[in-house]
Structures are given as C-alpha cells and as structure tokens.
Amino acid sequence: YQNEPNPFNDKTTIGFHLPEATTATFKLFDVTGKVVKVIHGDYTKGYHSITLNRAEIQGQGMLYYQLDTPKDSATKRMLLLD
C-alpha cells in the first residue's frame, strides 16, 4: 500500500498484505538508487506494516520503496519533507 502520511516529515507507515506466509524484504532507496534502509523478515499471512522514523533516514525529498517476496515485487514512491 502507499505510505501514510505522504508526504511526511516525522514518521510514516507502510502497510502490506501477504496472501500466504513468506519471507519479505523491504528496501528504501534515494533518487540516485542508493539503498537507504533494508528490513528483512519472515511474515505470516495477512496484513503487516512497517513504520519509518525520520531519524532512520538520511536525506530528504523523493524516496522509493520496494517490497520483494519470492513470488512478487511492488515499488512505490514517497516524499520526505525537510
């Protein structure tokens, strides 16, 4: 799902739904493609969310995030305000 709120300046939450239990990797990229943050985990079937705090993220402006599972991949963008 799209992160909320977007744009954000303090923290944002990214929700995702998995149709089955699986491993998933969340990657956050800056506009140059540099990986800013990676979260890898084993998740159960259903809804999950990841919360990102401003203090965890270097930089500002447009960011991209990608969620990869063995069967699927999704990419979205977000805006981090100064």
Side-chain angles (χ1 to χ4, degrees):
Y1 302 117
Q2 184 65 51
N3 65 301
E4 290 187 15
N6 187 32
F8 75 102
N9 60 6
D10 182 36
K11 67 180 178 177
T12 190
T13 301
I14 301 156
F16 59 97
H17 182 270
L18 298 174
E20 60 187 29
T22 189
T23 59
T25 303
F26 171 87
K27 293 180 184 175
L28 182 66
F29 303 91
D30 66 14
V31 292
T32 67
K34 178 182 172 189
V35 176
V36 176
K37 184 167 184 69
V38 176
I39 300 170
H40 182 77
D42 295 316
Y43 295 93
T44 59
K45 176 182 176 179
Y47 180 81
H48 301 276
S49 65
I50 294 171
T51 300
L52 298 175
N53 292 306
R54 173 67 174 104
E56 300 175 279
I57 305 168
Q58 296 179 9
Q60 64 185 22
M62 187 66 67
L63 299 168
Y64 296 87
Y65 60 95
Q66 181 173 321
L67 184 69
D68 294 313
T69 68
K71 293 184 178 181
D72 203 5
S73 180
T75 303
K76 296 215 179 256
R77 61 185 176 191
M78 68 172 83
L79 185 59
L80 174 57
L81 300 175
D82 189 18

